[in-house]
Amino acid sequence: MQTKAQHISYNDNNEQIKYIKRVTDFFASSGKAPIANIHTFGCQQNENDTERIKGILKQMGFGFTSEDEEADFILFNTCAVREGAEDRVLGNLGALKHLKLRKPNVLIGICGCMMQQEHMVKRIKSKYRHVSIVFGTHTLFKLPQILFEAITRDKTVINVCDAHGDIIEDIPILRESSPKAWVSIMYGCNNFCSYCIVPYTRGRERSRKADDIIAEIKKLVAEGVTEVTLLGQNVNSYGKDLDENIDFAELLRRVNEIDGLKRIRFMTSHPKDMTDRLIDAMAECDKVCNQLHLPFQAGSNRILKLMNRRYTKEDYLALVGKIKAKMPDISLSSDVIVGFPNETKEDFLETIDVLEKVRFDTIFSFIYSKRSGTPAAIMEDSISDKEKHENFDRLLEVQNRISREINETYGGKTVEVLVEGPSKNNPEIYSGRTDTGKTVNFPFHDETKIGDYVNIKITKVNTWSLDGEII
Ligand code: SAH
Ligand code: SF4
Ligand code: F3S
């Protein structure tokens, strides 16, 4: 039997407080405030971890840059979910060898999901000798100690633990100033989908106590946040491991009562754990957005079984029917994998059939990537890469048409948008999102502020976004 996760306060961890002081003193004696650059890969949970890493670094006097050349500490917070993500990290890390030769004092580190895999740690140790810091997802809170060891010792500091991890509350979080914030409500995953590395890199499901989550959101609201996204690999199983009697539906209702909060989003929901209680809570809570990310992964029952998803195509379609009956305008999105071992054309066409029947607003689609240590990695696969890519292209074609058709229904309508900031390519154009998660771009007005909720008339429809004007 697995023992329950301990809920520990970071501030009670005297061991780390000692190191915070030592690291601060070390850099203070050099007369220059240290600067860090963190490269983040992977999911929102990793983004949220980076915000924690930044919070801890700030405690030790660090400032931040987005340029490696300016940094004293360069850290890669990594994702292991697909080979492509890992290759990008290794490529970027390799390219820093020259920088380390020119600036021997620069500290280069790698952390996150990739480092929870023993073979990766070995590879870093043997081939990336310019790396001096390695830590995993469960030891993030030990960063003060890890950093202290790295600056005082002349060898690579490795601090990876494969225990399932405790919950460390009160880690300082340095978020970008924004009306939106990520809030992790649980960590880990118990589902062991046969293709997926996440249960191995993040450990077993551990839920934060509801009071801790509510307190964090209230604090965020006091700082000006009005939209939160509750994060977990499967938020629908929230609370199952807690002593208190609470489920995700109840948590949503409690978050919905927070004064000053306007929008609640959450991800990700596993279809097998989507209860009627949760559908009712979504429909009844006015702040919960009209949007749901509900990955189905594949349409063929044979493949779903091999994936260990524990529902059938029919179960999924019935669930969507139930959700749409309660929330007819809901915007649905999904994750889809193409090219699971031995996925035939017939299997693939079942996936297309789900797209046509559900009509998702968007999907995030991936070509299957073999992850060593997962059950699918040893499954036979006789399907060629060419066929997988053809299927993938077909999937995108079908989905692009559906996304465009759904966006067309917004033409001429007025929607409420939370103003998030200038668009990346044009500072005159601002962008924000509707309750249904659509990105809307609009010309900036002097009287508009980031964080405002404005009404926008949609004047142009694109496949991925909408254009409009404030009215
Ligand atoms: N816990 C979430 C998200 C997990 S990772 C969920 O269950 O929905 C995000 C997505 O990456 C998954 O939904 C899946 O579509 C994709 N993914 C995971 N492992 C993969 C693999 N080995 N190859 C390709 N895609 C993968
Ligand atoms: Fe991976 Fe499945 Fe867990 Fe999602 S639910 S993180 S796909 S094992
Ligand atoms: Fe990647 Fe880890 Fe998230 S493997 S998807 S960063 S949980």
Side-chain angles (χ1 to χ4, degrees):
M1 255 309 262
Q2 177 202 334
T3 51
K4 280 203 168 169
Q6 304 276 316
H7 295 244
I8 302 165
S9 168
Y10 175 76
N11 295 325
D12 294 343
N13 193 315
N14 293 325
E15 191 65 6
Q16 292 310 309
I17 287 166
K18 180 175 80 189
Y19 287 110
I20 290 171
K21 179 152 183 356
R22 287 182 180 175
V23 174
T24 311
D25 289 349
F26 175 88
F27 283 108
S29 67
S30 77
K32 174 183 168 284
I35 298 175
N37 186 21
I38 308 180
H39 300 271
T40 310
F41 298 78
C43 64
Q44 290 81 1
Q45 212 140 47
N46 243 23
E47 305 261 356
N48 195 216
D49 279 352
T50 290
E51 293 171 335
R52 285 193 186 86
I53 292 170
K54 282 187 162 179
I56 299 175
L57 288 174
K58 185 165 174 248
Q59 265 190 322
M60 294 184 284
F62 274 80
F64 299 95
T65 174
S66 52
E67 300 295 330
D68 287 339
E69 285 289 342
E70 293 170 6
D72 304 292
F73 178 32
I74 302 169
L75 181 65
F76 289 81
N77 187 10
T78 64
C79 170
V81 83
R82 283 171 293 275
E83 198 179 354
E86 292 191 333
D87 287 348
R88 258 189 307 140
V89 168
L90 295 175
N92 292 351
L93 194 63
L96 288 182
K97 271 181 193 158
H98 301 293
L99 182 79
K100 181 79 181 175
L101 282 175
R102 268 193 291 119
K103 291 172 71 181
N105 286 338
V106 69
L107 287 171
I108 298 175
I110 177 164
C111 67
C113 289
M114 270 169 84
M115 295 303 104
Q116 290 299 133
Q117 307 173 96
E118 224 179 296
H119 69 94
M120 268 301 167
V121 174
K122 274 196 192 138
R123 188 157 164 188
I124 296 292
K125 265 200 317 204
S126 66
K127 297 221 171 89
Y128 297 80
R129 307 190 78 110
H130 56 302
V131 170
S132 41
I133 292 177
V134 173
F135 60 98
T137 57
H138 302 305
T139 45
L140 180 160
F141 74 99
K142 291 190 179 164
L143 183 56
Q145 177 183 351
I146 294 167
L147 211 54
F148 180 74
E149 287 171 1
I151 53 189
T152 51
R153 278 196 216 156
D154 196 21
K155 65 181 223 229
T156 312
V157 179
I158 297 176
N159 201 323
V160 179
C161 135
D162 61 7
H164 293 141
D166 290 322
I167 290 197
I168 316 290
E169 288 292 347
D170 310 322
I171 295 181
I173 302 190
L174 183 64
R175 293 178 163 98
E176 300 272 319
S177 159
S178 162
K180 303 194 304 179
W182 311 115
V183 175
S184 293
I185 63 164
M186 59 193 297
Y187 307 97
C189 182
N190 287 356
N191 288 318
F192 291 93
C193 301
S194 64
Y195 50 81
C196 185
I197 196 80
V198 172
Y200 308 89
T201 66
R202 291 275 173 176
R204 294 297 67 71
E205 282 173 3
R206 285 115 45 218
S207 305
R208 291 177 67 196
K209 290 179 187 157
D211 286 348
D212 291 332
I213 296 166
I214 303 285
E216 180 177 350
I217 300 175
K218 283 188 174 161
K219 191 162 165 270
L220 286 167
V221 171
E223 290 162 3
V225 166
T226 57
E227 178 182 312
V228 291
T229 304
L230 310 177
L231 298 178
Q233 294 301 337
N234 175 20
V235 292
N236 295 4
S237 60
Y238 172 79
K240 284 185 181 162
D241 59 315
L242 287 174
D243 290 333
E244 60 186 309
N245 187 13
I246 187 164
D247 62 1
F248 185 55
E250 181 58 28
L251 181 73
L252 270 188
R253 290 185 191 274
R254 285 188 59 185
V255 175
N256 195 59
E257 277 167 21
I258 297 177
D259 285 336
L261 185 67
K262 291 217 168 70
R263 284 177 170 179
I264 305 164
R265 301 188 200 273
F266 55 87
M267 66 190 305
T268 298
S269 289
H270 195 301
K272 77 175 166 54
D273 298 313
M274 187 91 205
T275 59
D276 290 351
R277 270 174 63 80
L278 178 54
I279 298 172
D280 288 344
M282 284 184 72
E284 288 164 25
C285 292
D286 58 323
K287 294 174 186 169
V288 173
C289 287
N290 207 5
Q291 182 192 24
L292 178 66
H293 184 60
L294 191 67
F296 75 95
Q297 311 295 0
S300 147
N301 287 337
R302 188 180 73 82
I303 297 293
L304 283 170
K305 192 148 204 276
L306 287 171
M307 284 180 162
N308 191 30
R309 289 290 291 180
R310 286 173 278 173
Y311 53 82
T312 61
K313 177 186 174 192
E314 293 72 27
D315 295 337
Y316 186 86
L317 292 175
L319 177 61
V320 167
K322 221 164 23 169
I323 293 165
K324 285 186 174 173
K326 284 266 160 86
M327 293 167 276
D329 300 324
I330 194 151
S331 154
L332 292 170
S333 57
S334 190
D335 292 348
V336 182
I337 296 176
V338 174
F340 187 82
N342 272 345
E343 184 184 52
T344 63
K345 196 57 138 193
E346 290 69 42
D347 291 321
F348 170 71
L349 289 175
E350 298 280 357
T351 296
I352 295 286
D353 189 45
V354 175
L355 294 193
E356 297 283 9
K357 290 206 163 96
V358 177
R359 295 180 61 81
F360 296 99
D361 284 58
T362 44
I363 60 165
F364 301 89
S365 43
F366 312 100
I367 292 189
Y368 168 76
S369 169
K370 190 193 267 198
R371 305 286 67 209
S372 90
T374 63
I378 49 168
M379 289 181 192
E380 233 183 87
D381 190 4
S382 57
I383 311 292
S384 69
D385 280 353
K386 182 166 170 282
E387 181 170 347
K388 292 184 183 191
H389 281 94
E390 278 166 10
N391 288 346
F392 187 73
D393 292 346
R394 169 98 186 101
L395 185 88
L396 292 186
E397 218 174 89
V398 171
Q399 183 55 41
N400 288 354
R401 170 180 47 80
I402 295 171
S403 294
R404 169 111 209 164
E405 284 167 3
I406 293 176
N407 277 359
E408 298 283 358
T409 65
Y410 283 79
K413 278 195 186 150
T414 298
V415 290
E416 191 188 46
V417 162
L418 165 58
V419 181
E420 289 173 17
S423 90
K424 279 191 199 100
N425 341 334
N426 183 350
E428 311 266 296
I429 300 287
Y430 269 50
S431 76
R433 273 172 200 270
T434 63
D435 159 68
T436 52
K438 301 279 170 205
T439 301
V440 182
N441 299 308
F442 49 93
F444 181 61
H445 277 194
D446 280 343
E447 60 273 27
T448 313
K449 292 191 304 295
I450 292 175
D452 284 353
Y453 285 79
V454 293
N455 284 322
I456 295 194
K457 190 171 160 92
I458 301 302
T459 51
K460 185 165 175 277
V461 170
N462 314 301
T463 305
W464 308 118
S465 65
L466 304 167
D467 297 342
E469 275 161 21
I470 299 181
I471 53 167

